[in-house]
Each structure stands twice: as structure tokens, then as C-alpha cells.
Amino acid sequence: MRYAIIIEKARDNYSAYVPDLPGCVTVGDTIEEIKQNIQEAIAFHLEALIEDGYSYSS
């Protein structure tokens, strides 16, 4: 599956979120860290949706 990811630069770090997955957000100190963090956040978010009985599509 593919999701659009928004990465924003803050003063001292980066943040990222997935518009199609409300509440799926993360922060990191570098772009590399934020890319890894958001992949993990998406996986965790989708697992939680499945556990709660929701379905999702790409």
C-alpha cells in the first residue's frame, strides 16, 4: 500500500503525518529518522485499526 506522507521542518526537528490515517503522526531529528518512524507508525496504526475491527484500503 502507498500513503501520502507530509514531512514538515520544525525549529529543532521534523514531524510527519499521513493525511489518510488521522492520528498517524511521528517526530524525528533527521529526515532518515522520520522516514523510519513514519513507516513504523503506519504499520502500528493499521494494526490497531484491524484489531478494532476497521477495514482500510490504499
Side-chain angles (χ1 to χ4, degrees), residues 17-28:
Y17 66 94
V18 181
D20 290 333
L21 300 173
C24 186
V25 299
T26 191
V27 296

Side-chain angles (χ1 to χ4, degrees), residues 25-55:
V25 299
T26 191
V27 296
D29 293 327
T30 65
I31 291 289
E32 294 77 23
E33 183 180 7
I34 205 75
K35 287 178 181 179
Q36 179 66 35
N37 289 354
I38 199 65
Q39 288 178 353
E40 293 172 5
I42 290 169
F44 182 74
H45 194 89
L46 295 176
E47 287 175 19
L49 288 175
I50 290 168
E51 288 177 10
D52 289 344
Y54 293 97
S55 64

